[in-house]
């Protein structure tokens, strides 16, 4: 018997959360000899990642979940596990090991899978794109937290930039406008987690890691700056020729829409990589 869409969404969300609690606890115990308060702090960080993903799904009207969303939920579980393992590194109690890098790399590479699933099943949607972009942003933030102890607190600027842009949209309506598609923007977004994984990988010379992260920060700053200029110009152009289109006025909790991309993700941009069209 086929379950109602809301019940399926609830079951998938509960399964994902339970999967994180089991996998996150095990991965933390394997990667860190000492647990105690660090374990609870790690699980709390991971639960925040999962809570954001679950909330994004359950707030949909009508409540539904697609095959591509399930892949993204798996990615969210992996990102949440990384968040749990990143807490000791963020607090300076340890450095990320190969297990952390392996889980983070799988979460990064799965970004191409959910897009392929969305195209195969024809389930692309703005709601799925928002979930995808939120997961991308969470991965970069988690990786930046893990790199604080070894590369300095300045790397947090990379992980926080997408969130700052989204918050700025609450203050400046122009930042909730519509951006055209850009391959350069996508390439810069894809480079962010790659740079962190490279810098954190055991055996990578510290100088190379610092250079990779510095390039990530510069390129991401330039990309956001270019988008802000474009959005401000769009606002001026529309104010001269008429009101903003309805999609440009639609407000998503974490950002704005993009025109011309396969999906319409939050913050009006692809700050972080995705190939998903759902």
């Amino acid at each position: 018997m086929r379950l109602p869409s809301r019940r399926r969404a609830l079951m998938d969300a509960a399964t994902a959360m339970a999967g994180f609690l089991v996998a996150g606890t095990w991965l933390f115990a394997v990667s860190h000899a000492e647990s105690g308060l660090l374990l609870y702090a790690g699980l709390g960080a991971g639960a925040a990642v999962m809570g954001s993903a679950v909330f994004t799904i359950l707030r949909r009207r009508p409540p539904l979940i697609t095959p591509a969303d399930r892949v993204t939920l798996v990615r969210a579980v992996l990102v949440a596990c990384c968040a749990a393992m990143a807490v000791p590194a963020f607090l300076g109690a340890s450095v990320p090991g190969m297990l952390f890098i392996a889980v983070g790399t799988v979460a990064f590479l799965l970004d191409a899978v959910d897009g392929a699933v969305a195209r195969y099943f024809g389930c692309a949607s703005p709601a799925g794109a928002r979930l995808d972009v939120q997961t991308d942003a969470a991965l970069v933030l988690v990786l930046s937290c893990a790199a604080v102890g070894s590369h300095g607190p300045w790397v947090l600027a990379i992980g926080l930039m997408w969130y700052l842009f989204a918050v700025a949209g609450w203050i400046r309506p122009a930042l909730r406008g519509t951006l055209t598609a850009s391959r350069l923007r996508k390439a810069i977004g894809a480079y962010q987690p790659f740079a962190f994984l490279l810098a954190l990988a055991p055996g990578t010379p510290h100088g190379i890691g610092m250079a990779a992260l510095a390039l990530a920060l510069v390129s991401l700053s330039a990309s956001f700056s270019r988008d802000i200029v474009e959005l401000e110009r769009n606002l001026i152009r529309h104010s001269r020729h008429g009101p903003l289109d309805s999609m440009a006025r639609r407000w998503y909790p974490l950002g704005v829409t993009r025109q011309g991309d396969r999906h319409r993700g939050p913050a009006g941009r692809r700050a972080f990589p995705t190939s998903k069209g759902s």
Side-chain angles (χ1 to χ4, degrees):
M1 182 178 65
R2 191 172 184 178
L3 296 175
S5 60
R6 180 168 182 80
R7 186 175 178 183
R8 290 202 306 272
L10 285 171
M11 291 181 62
D12 287 344
T15 300
M17 183 64 78
F20 155 68
L21 292 175
V22 173
T25 303
W26 180 79
L27 288 170
F28 189 97
V30 170
S31 58
H32 300 89
E34 299 180 2
S35 56
L37 292 178
L38 284 179
L39 172 61
Y40 295 111
L43 291 179
V49 174
M50 289 304 305
S52 175
V54 168
F55 175 76
T56 300
I57 290 176
L58 297 183
R59 70 183 296 273
R60 296 174 181 176
R61 295 296 181 270
L64 55 84
I65 187 167
T66 68
D69 291 330
R70 293 187 176 98
V71 177
T72 308
L73 268 182
V74 172
R75 290 184 58 229
V77 171
L78 295 174
V79 174
C81 290
C82 286
M85 292 187 287
V87 167
F90 179 73
L91 298 177
S94 66
V95 295
M98 277 305 302
L99 185 59
F100 176 88
I101 300 300
V103 176
T105 300
V106 174
F108 173 49
L109 295 178
L110 275 179
D111 192 25
V113 176
D114 52 13
V117 172
R119 291 188 293 271
Y120 180 81
F121 287 98
C123 55
S125 70
R130 288 198 300 275
L131 176 63
D132 185 48
V133 175
Q134 287 177 224
T135 306
D136 296 337
L139 175 61
V140 176
L141 178 59
V142 167
L143 293 175
S144 68
C145 290
V148 166
S150 56
H151 294 80
W154 64 273
V155 299
L156 287 174
I158 303 173
L160 291 172
M161 199 172 300
W162 183 87
Y163 295 95
L164 293 175
F165 186 86
V167 171
W170 290 88
I171 303 172
R172 179 61 178 168
L175 301 183
R176 303 201 298 266
T178 302
L179 284 169
T180 55
S182 170
R183 291 184 178 180
L184 178 61
R185 185 188 298 124
K186 292 181 180 181
I188 292 174
Y191 177 71
Q192 309 306 309
F194 171 79
F196 277 111
L197 292 169
L198 174 65
L200 291 171
T204 299
H206 185 71
I208 293 179
M210 290 289 286
L213 293 178
L215 178 59
L217 178 59
V218 171
S219 62
L220 190 60
S221 299
S223 181
F224 271 112
S225 298
R226 188 186 68 169
D227 288 347
I228 290 174
V229 171
E230 180 181 340
L231 289 169
E232 291 290 347
R233 288 177 176 174
N234 288 345
L235 182 64
I236 295 174
R237 187 181 305 113
H238 283 291
S239 65
R240 291 175 178 174
H241 300 286
L244 291 173
D245 59 272
S246 60
M247 284 304 297
R249 289 187 177 276
R250 175 177 291 178
W251 169 239
Y252 292 127
L254 290 180
V256 300
T257 63
R258 276 163 65 184
Q259 185 179 48
D261 277 342
R262 288 193 300 272
H263 45 231
R264 302 176 184 272
R269 55 173 286 108
R270 276 296 304 132
F272 304 109
T274 185
S275 57
K276 180 178 180 181
S278 65

